[in-house]
Amino acid sequence: MASSRRDLAVRASVDQGLLSPAEPVVALLDTAGIRASAAALTGAFAAVTDAPVLHAFAVKACPLVPVLRLLHEAGLGAEVASPGELALARAAGIPTARTVLDSPAKTPDELRQALALGIAVNADNLQELARLDALVAAAPTASPLGIRVNPQIGAGSIGALSTATATSKFGVALRDEGARKTLVQACLERPWLTRLHTHTGSQGVPLALMAEGVGEAYALAEEINHAAGRQQIDTLDIGGGLPVDFHSDEENPTYAEYARLLADTVPGLFDGRYGLVTEFGRSLLAKHGTVLARVEYTKTSGGRPIAVTHAGVQVATRTVYAPEAWPLRVLAYDSGGRPRTGEVTVQDVAGPACFAGDLLATGRELPLLHPGDVVAVPDTGAYYFAHPYAYNSLPRPGVHGFTVTEKDGGGGAGDGGAGDGDRDGGNGGDGTVTFTTVREPQTLAEIVAESGGAHADALVR
């Protein structure tokens, strides 16, 4: 998200009452930034290949229907990994022909539905291939079918997100004894198996390792096609995984850098013989989301100032439980939504949950925060506010898309369309910020309902 648009949106959220004592935490999405990232992705691959490329957004990164619709309008499809994610993609209007199903635990019913709809399916293992044998024999399907491979090339800096390790739970392990030969034979026995899928990892995985994983899948495709005496494997799904810089507003690395690296290291991938599928998620959305929260109280403990806010583990679960792997920036604004100035002070920024570790930041240098101030947590557009954690039954925050239109009509952020419920408001002559509702804030009645409120007497009858 451009910092200037973010500053305008923070102030407008206060001016327009989006962030208030009654709604002390909200999430914002910069629609212009999302469109720009989608264009950067499609443009980066178009610059290195004329082959068809389906860019399937990883729905898990931001499972919000208006976001999926926005990305669909920007030319992207969807990668889904559960019945719920498939339902969201269909609700967003994404065609089944532009949808890919991945999951290490697909049920027979999930597979049957995907084949009936013509959705591309990547099998995770040889047992799943056996299930597909029966389903393909039972009914014709238009679904492109593939299998995921694990190149076993090593881990990045975050082990939990490294999917190409020796013992990863994903895909067929290529370097296990006899596995490669077995996989090649399995493909030759199934002429309908026309795709290979690999995904080396995501945050913490360097570009060179990602490219190495793609190279291993390409080499296997070449081996299978040579053994078949024809081009049986016609598409390579290279996954996603571009890491995000959480330390600045820079979008680094870029899709263009990654596409050029692939063109240099795996040139045959782009010579027109193979169709391509990508599955980027975090890198498309992270930079374009910001969580805003009011500071409720400030205090001092052990000589260190602490600002108690309304954003913590319920929106930033990974950061709270694994702060070294998932650090987030915190930006300080005054009660009017203007960047706070003043002497920088080392302080903690805490969340509202009832455990000591609910901290957004520890020992962070910021202008001293005061009650009623606003903290902004940028880079949270993926895997943060769309994945609420119900600690203390804290409600899910509302999510709002925004656009900025300059006063003279130029340099704006584009059209809205992220949802219903537009709010227009001036912004001190710098531009007009328009908010649209993506997801309503959760109500207390909804919390009670999903916590068994309709069955209060179930255990005492």
Side-chain angles (χ1 to χ4, degrees), residues 8 56-57 123 199 209 240 248 263 300 307 322 336-337 339 349 365 374 395 414 421 423 443:
L8 290 171
F57 173 69
H199 179 72
L209 194 64
S248 76
T300 300
V349 181
E365 293 185 345
V374 178
R423 292 174 181 239
T443 67

Side-chain angles (χ1 to χ4, degrees), residues 314-337:
Q314 87 277 27
V315 292
T317 313
R318 283 178 168 176
T319 294
V320 168
Y321 284 122
E324 298 301 320
W326 297 101
L328 285 172
R329 294 179 291 152
V330 176
L331 308 177
Y333 295 81
D334 65 20
S335 60

Side-chain angles (χ1 to χ4, degrees), residues 5 11 52 97 175 213 310:
R5 291 200 301 270
R11 182 173 173 186
R175 297 186 181 182
H310 287 273

Side-chain angles (χ1 to χ4, degrees), residues 85 91 121 177 191 196 200 208 232 256 319 421 453:
E85 289 184 356
V121 176
E177 185 176 355
L196 291 181
T200 298
Q232 176 176 334
T319 294

Side-chain angles (χ1 to χ4, degrees), residues 402-461:
F402 73 88
T403 59
V404 178
T405 305
E406 298 299 332
K407 193 173 183 180
D408 62 4
D415 297 329
D420 298 324
D422 290 2
R423 292 174 181 239
D424 297 303
N427 219 41
D430 297 320
T432 298
V433 179
T434 301
F435 292 107
T436 54
T437 299
V438 173
R439 183 184 70 197
E440 296 282 356
Q442 188 181 28
T443 67
L444 296 182
E446 289 169 337
I447 292 175
V448 172
E450 70 178 34
S451 299
H455 309 286
D457 294 332
L459 303 180
V460 295
R461 290 174 181 169

